[in-house]
């Protein structure tokens, strides 16, 4: 049985004859609870509405971002179609003069060599790398050092120190640079912990695989360039002509079959650039 007692805004529910078991409910408290629930419902409704509005706004912004990305990608694609063929042709011409393309290459300088003959390419690139006390050459060496570790890092740092102290001592570091090219080549291809070394047959196979991978863009251009120069330096060159007539190559230098008196600063620069280029293969 339920009794309402207006004097204190309570509802008393009798459970049995014994009043000690009655349930007493304060109606004022119930009204407050009801209002609180109503406010919570409104808050949830407001939050849900705000969240939905925010989601719609974010979706709109994402759509704008996606459209902007599409427009930029399309513009980049058009630019790449114009950029890469001209760079590829210039790099090929530079390679034909025996020059590798280092990681820190200057685009404008390479493009400027597009229609030059080998003697002019040699002159332009040698001037570029020797200006300001060989600043560009030492920048390449700094990048090479960053990508080396352990004893190899210390070795290339010693090479830099020798050249910094007296660039005319460059003939002393040429065999070391060739050795580091061999090491870096195997490291880049994941073979540094195997018995493999940079021999002509392996380089040819790697070059063919790289070509078959159909890579697109700048990496393809640089990889093709690097393999071309690697093949020239690591292919067989006869010792028969004698130290004053042999070709400049890894084999003739490492086996003492190339007279150091014949070595040039141009050759030094080319070997440093080849080491730089080899580090990013793989």
């Amino acid at each position: 049985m339920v009794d309402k007692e207006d004097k204190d805004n309570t509802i008393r529910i009798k459970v049995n004859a014994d009043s000690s078991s009655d349930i007493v409910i304060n109606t004022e408290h119930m009204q407050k609870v009801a209002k609180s629930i109503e406010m919570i419902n409104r808050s949830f409704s407001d939050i849900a509405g705000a969240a939905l509005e925010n989601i719609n706004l974010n979706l709109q912004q994402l759509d704008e971002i996606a459209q902007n990305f599409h427009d930029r990608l399309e513009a980049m694609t058009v630019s790449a179609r114009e950029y890469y063929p001209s760079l590829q042709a210039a790099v090929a011409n530079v390679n034909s003069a025996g020059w590798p393309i280092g990681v820190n290459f200057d685009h404008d300088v390479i493009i400027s060599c597009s229609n030059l003959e080998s003697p002019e390419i040699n002159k332009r690139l040698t001037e570029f790398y020797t200006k300001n006390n060989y600043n560009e050459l030492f920048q390449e060496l700094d990048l090479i050092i960053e990508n080396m570790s352990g004893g190899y890092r210390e070795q290339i740092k010693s090479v830099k120190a020798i050249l910094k102290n007296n660039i005319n001592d460059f003939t002393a570091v040429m065999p070391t640079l060739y050795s580091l090219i061999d090491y870096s080549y195997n490291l880049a291809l994941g073979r540094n912990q195997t018995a493999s070394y940079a021999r002509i047959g392996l380089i040819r196979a790697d070059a063919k695989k790289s070509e078959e991978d159909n890579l697109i863009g700048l990496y393809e251009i640089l990889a093709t360039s690097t393999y071309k120069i690697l093949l020239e330096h690591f292919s067989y060159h006869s010792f028969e002509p004698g130290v004053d007539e042999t070709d400049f190559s890894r084999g003739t230098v490492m086996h003492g079959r190339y007279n150091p008196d014949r070595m040039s600063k141009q050759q030094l620069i080319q070997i440093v650039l080849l080491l730089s280029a080899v580090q990013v293969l793989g």
Side-chain angles (χ1 to χ4, degrees):
M1 185 175 72
V2 179
D3 289 339
K4 183 175 181 182
E5 300 180 9
D6 293 331
K7 60 182 180 178
D8 57 0
N9 295 320
T10 61
I11 297 174
R12 183 181 298 276
I13 301 175
K14 290 186 174 295
V15 178
N16 50 40
D18 185 358
S19 299
S20 63
S21 300
D22 290 356
I23 298 173
V24 179
I25 300 174
N26 189 302
T27 56
E28 185 177 349
H29 290 169
M30 288 183 64
Q31 290 173 355
K32 289 180 179 179
V33 170
K35 287 182 179 179
S36 296
I37 293 173
E38 183 181 358
M39 289 176 64
I40 291 172
N41 287 335
R42 286 179 184 174
S43 296
F44 275 125
S45 177
D46 292 342
I47 291 171
L52 184 60
E53 183 179 349
N54 191 46
I55 289 171
N56 289 332
L57 178 61
N58 286 337
L59 287 175
Q60 183 180 353
Q61 291 175 341
L62 286 173
D63 184 60
E64 291 175 359
I65 291 171
Q67 184 60 47
N68 289 337
F69 177 76
H70 176 271
D71 293 343
R72 289 181 63 186
L73 185 62
E74 187 174 7
M76 288 169 64
T77 302
V78 172
S79 176
R81 291 195 189 104
E82 299 172 354
Y83 171 79
Y84 288 126
S86 60
L87 180 61
Q88 190 170 24
V91 168
N93 198 43
V94 167
N95 290 161
S96 68
W99 286 83
I101 306 297
V103 172
N104 199 39
F105 76 96
D106 186 291
H107 170 266
D108 293 338
V109 171
I110 298 301
I111 290 295
S112 73
C113 296
S114 296
N115 300 312
L116 300 182
E117 298 295 328
S118 291
E120 296 170 298
I121 293 173
N122 292 338
K123 183 175 183 295
R124 181 160 300 182
L125 293 182
T126 299
E127 287 177 350
F128 176 74
Y129 284 101
T130 58
K131 69 182 180 181
N132 299 325
N133 294 318
Y134 294 82
N135 180 61
E136 295 293 335
L137 180 66
F138 286 115
Q139 284 190 32
E140 289 285 354
L141 281 167
D142 286 337
L143 290 174
I144 292 169
I145 290 169
E146 286 181 15
N147 291 318
M148 290 289 191
S149 61
Y152 297 99
R153 184 187 182 96
E154 294 307 310
Q155 198 171 35
I156 191 64
K157 285 169 69 175
S158 295
V159 167
K160 180 186 175 183
I162 290 170
L163 297 176
K164 271 284 190 181
N165 181 64
N166 187 350
I167 195 70
N168 292 319
D169 290 335
F170 71 92
T171 60
V173 304
M174 297 294 261
T176 299
L177 289 171
Y178 266 123
S179 174
L180 289 171
I181 288 172
D182 195 325
Y183 164 75
S184 296
Y185 181 73
N186 285 293
L187 181 65
L189 276 295
R191 303 191 189 106
N192 57 311
Q193 298 298 332
T194 72
S196 295
Y197 61 94
R199 63 186 188 277
I200 189 64
L202 189 63
I203 296 172
R204 282 201 186 103
D206 291 336
K208 183 178 180 182
K209 182 181 183 303
S210 177
E211 185 179 350
E212 290 172 349
D213 285 343
N214 293 320
L215 300 171
I216 299 173
L218 185 58
Y219 180 84
E220 177 195 19
I221 295 172
L222 296 181
T224 301
S225 162
T226 302
Y227 279 119
K228 175 179 171 57
I229 303 299
L230 267 176
L231 288 169
E232 292 176 3
H233 281 267
F234 281 73
S235 63
Y236 172 73
H237 291 265
S238 175
F239 299 163
E240 192 66 32
V243 297
D244 292 321
E245 298 292 336
T246 49
D247 296 330
F248 179 73
S249 69
R250 176 206 177 271
T252 56
V253 170
M254 295 294 285
H255 292 286
R257 297 299 191 274
Y258 193 92
N259 190 340
D261 287 340
R262 300 171 58 209
M263 294 179 183
S264 67
K265 292 186 178 71
Q266 175 182 308
Q267 290 169 334
L268 166 69
I269 297 167
Q270 290 172 336
I271 296 306
V272 170
L273 295 179
L274 182 56
L275 175 54
S276 172
V278 162
Q279 287 188 321
V280 296
L281 286 177

